[in-house]
Amino acid sequence: MVHFVGAGPGAPDLITLRGAELVKQADIIIYAGSLVNPEILALARPDCRVYNSAEMTLEQVLAVMEGAPDADIVRLHTGDPCLYGAIREQMDALDKLGIPWDDTPGVSSFCGAAAALGAEFTLPGVSQSVIITRMAGRTPVPERESLEQMAQHDASMAVFLSAGLLEEVQASLLRGAYTADTPAAIVYKATWPEERIIRCTAGTLAAAGAEAGIRKTAMILVGEFLSGSYERSKLYDPAFTTEYRRGIEP
């Protein structure tokens, strides 16, 4: 059995209880290189075989899985594996091989970055949508989903896998609906001990990142949700009627 497990954004205690139990029980762990905090591997049994998938191809990963048909195998991905985890190709291959699998979600790094900033992506009167995307680089994105196209929405945005392309990210954001003054932030290794937060604007993103020396392993957040202006939530407004509470007119 292969268990795909989200390791969380970095802090070892942010893996889920289910994920931690699967790691403890595993005969084999295949983990996502430097992206997964090695402290999580300390949960594994002493006799557990551990492979670093950063040094492997898909075919090599599948060979390990196919070569141990009776083993409990944990495929440990960073954050939540449904985002940029390349898990679909593994699941489809396992189906063809007749190897059963399941999927345990994890805390994504865009959630860890928001927590580090004390931010809420969906603020009343500001934004009720979150765009999760990345900048096209060595690997492309569909043209209709270019960062410039996504930036037209002026929604809250979390940009993955783009810390090494800050100049391109900044230019794309400013060709969209964001302005040079739109609040932004770079969160390096959110929830790790070495976490760093750089607050800036869409117009100073590249300079801020260069000054901080950040070129990888960072989340870029942009949008007015990072400002201090928003409306009070209707959900907890005493004048707002819900299924559980009748509103009282002021």
Side-chain angles (χ1 to χ4, degrees), residues 2-249:
V2 175
H3 306 282
F4 292 91
V5 175
D13 56 350
L14 284 178
I15 191 172
T16 65
L17 292 173
R18 182 189 298 178
E21 285 302 312
L22 289 170
V23 169
K24 291 175 183 177
Q25 297 167 15
D27 302 307
I28 297 172
I29 295 173
I30 307 171
Y31 77 105
S34 61
L35 297 174
V36 171
N37 191 328
E39 289 187 33
I40 294 176
L41 300 178
L43 298 172
R45 301 194 324 251
D47 62 338
C48 178
R49 289 155 51 196
V50 179
Y51 296 84
N52 180 358
S53 64
E55 303 167 349
M56 303 167 73
T57 65
L58 172 62
E59 288 74 16
Q60 290 172 322
V61 168
L62 293 171
V64 171
M65 296 173 174
E66 190 175 12
D70 299 322
D72 269 334
I73 301 174
V74 166
R75 182 66 172 102
L76 193 61
H77 283 268
T78 185
D80 187 295
C82 76
L83 292 173
Y84 307 109
I87 59 170
R88 176 64 185 272
E89 60 190 23
Q90 297 174 74
M91 293 170 173
D92 287 347
L94 291 174
D95 286 341
K96 290 179 182 179
L97 293 168
I99 298 173
W101 55 267
D102 59 23
D103 188 10
T104 297
V107 178
S108 175
S109 56
F110 84 95
C111 300
L117 291 165
E120 180 181 349
F121 285 111
T122 51
L123 288 174
V126 176
S127 176
Q128 292 292 289
S129 301
V130 184
I131 296 174
I132 296 170
T133 189
R134 68 173 181 84
M135 185 77 201
R138 292 177 61 197
T139 53
V141 301
E143 185 176 346
R144 68 183 182 279
E145 294 182 7
S146 69
L147 190 58
E148 182 176 341
Q149 289 291 326
M150 296 292 99
Q152 302 295 330
H153 297 284
D154 199 20
S156 302
M157 183 179 284
V159 186
F160 281 68
L161 305 171
S162 303
L165 299 166
L166 289 177
E167 291 187 1
E168 294 89 340
V169 170
Q170 177 175 316
S172 296
L173 294 175
L174 295 180
R175 285 195 294 268
Y178 303 111
T179 71
D181 295 326
T182 300
I186 304 168
V187 183
Y188 173 76
K189 299 194 80 168
T191 80
W192 291 67
E194 56 266 47
E195 172 187 285
R196 294 174 64 195
I197 295 172
I198 295 90
R199 292 184 181 268
C200 54
T201 65
T204 61
L205 190 66
E211 182 178 355
I214 293 177
R215 302 296 296 173
K216 63 178 182 178
T217 327
M219 178 70 60
I220 302 162
L221 303 182
V222 60
E224 290 297 334
F225 75 98
L226 292 171
S227 72
S229 177
Y230 60 93
E231 297 174 6
R232 177 173 173 164
S233 168
K234 293 293 186 185
L235 181 61
Y236 299 108
D237 188 328
F240 191 72
T241 297
T242 73
E243 181 182 356
Y244 302 100
R245 187 189 70 245
R246 178 168 294 281
I248 301 172
E249 292 298 326

